[in-house]
Amino acid sequence: LRIVGVCPAETYPLAKKRHSLEYLRTLAHLRPRTNTIAAVARVRSTLAGSIHEFFQQSGFCYVQTPLITASDCEGAGEMFRVTTLDLDNVNELPMKKDEEGKELNGVDYEEDFFGKPAFLTVSGQLGGETHACALGDIYTFGPTFRAENSQTTRHLAEFNMVEPEMAFADLDSAMDNAENMLKHVVGQTLKKCEEDLTFFTKFYDKGLKDRLEKVVNKPFVRVAYRDAITYLQEEIAKDPSKWQFPDVEFGTDLATEHERWLAETKFNSCVFVYNYPKNIKAFYMRDNDEDGGETVNAMDLLVPGVGELVGGSQREDRLDVLLAKMEDLDLEPEDYWWYLDLRRFGSVPHAGYGLGFERLVCYVTGVENIREAIAFPRYPGNAEF
């Protein structure tokens, strides 16, 4: 027996006992040596490979969209700024000036590296649409960022999104593709990670394997947003005190407790909720003609144990409608000139969706906190390692 690397027991921070996941988070460089995080890493790898496998076998083209952007895809403004200006020397920052040379409020970003305000992207969708309108079916799979001051178990500041975009497609096409994709990747993981899933079933979620088998074998439910609201109102009326957010009406952005009730109790299945109110969805989603644009061709996939896993829509391909929506949200058309060109020059109906990859990892492993689903989690107050 030859010792290759010495590990002194008296100073090694991982004792021979079960450590809390919170403690292991402080040792992210060592936690892959534990059973839980090692199993998560293996399942994560299988999921990622299966996603690529599904789209490649389905004839999709893999596109890498930029991480640095001047566009706010969601119109939410929760973006990390990218700059080379010396923020430690505030007095030397270049300031905007009027025609007479008088300083105005605000930094002059024409003096910055990119010559304009730049940010880390919240989505690869807008870039993906450019290629879908040329190549047909494409997908992106890469890092995205959200400067949302959230400490919940469902949010990260840096995470990965899977974002397919399909030309000559509508909302039904997007739902069909999302369902087929999830059935494929979950099925492959059940086959290839049986030992790890048995571990998660034993220590984290007794019903995990049965739930995953249902994903593969049971058709997903589809319910209109209006009907989902009615079901929730009827249930909440029985005992409003059981709900953290009992006020639900048309226009309500569903909370996690609402999403999980629909998926876990009402339907006991994965559920597509579609045709959401226009005012709670992004500017690029296509207005529904049948109700005068009160709703948009959008869908969310809700799954038991997690809530929302996928969000998608048919995109607004009519230039005049898109411009009007951007004006309502105070978005500058000049910042999206290239995106608008897709509507000016040979627009086609197209649709797509986004899958939060780390949320999928949580769903398939039964691990509750998304900070265990990624090697080095980034969240407010933490950018270690």
Side-chain angles (χ1 to χ4, degrees), residues 225-328:
Y225 171 88
R226 291 181 190 273
D227 294 332
I229 291 296
T230 300
Y231 296 141
L232 283 163
Q233 289 173 333
E234 292 172 350
E235 181 65 21
I236 291 171
K238 296 176 184 177
D239 187 357
S241 65
K242 291 182 178 179
W243 297 78
Q244 184 179 359
F245 302 103
D247 297 326
V248 174
E249 60 186 13
F250 183 85
T252 298
D253 200 357
L254 300 182
T256 301
E257 64 173 347
H258 305 141
E259 295 170 345
R260 292 188 62 174
W261 179 82
L262 288 167
E264 296 169 17
T265 304
K266 177 63 179 176
F267 296 107
N268 188 27
S269 171
C270 297
V271 183
F272 284 110
V273 179
Y274 62 91
N275 287 356
Y276 277 82
K278 173 181 179 178
N279 62 354
I280 61 172
K281 289 297 182 181
F283 76 95
Y284 53 76
M285 298 184 176
R286 195 180 203 281
D287 287 356
N288 275 317
D289 296 327
E290 54 266 29
D291 61 15
E294 188 178 25
T295 64
V296 289
N297 261 340
M299 62 84 170
D300 286 338
L301 176 62
L302 315 180
V303 297
V306 172
E308 181 190 343
L309 184 63
V310 169
S313 71
Q314 183 173 349
R315 315 311 188 190
E316 184 56 78
D317 56 295
R318 297 165 295 185
L319 179 61
D320 57 337
V321 178
L322 186 59
L323 283 168
K325 296 174 78 168
M326 293 175 71
E327 183 178 353
D328 290 342

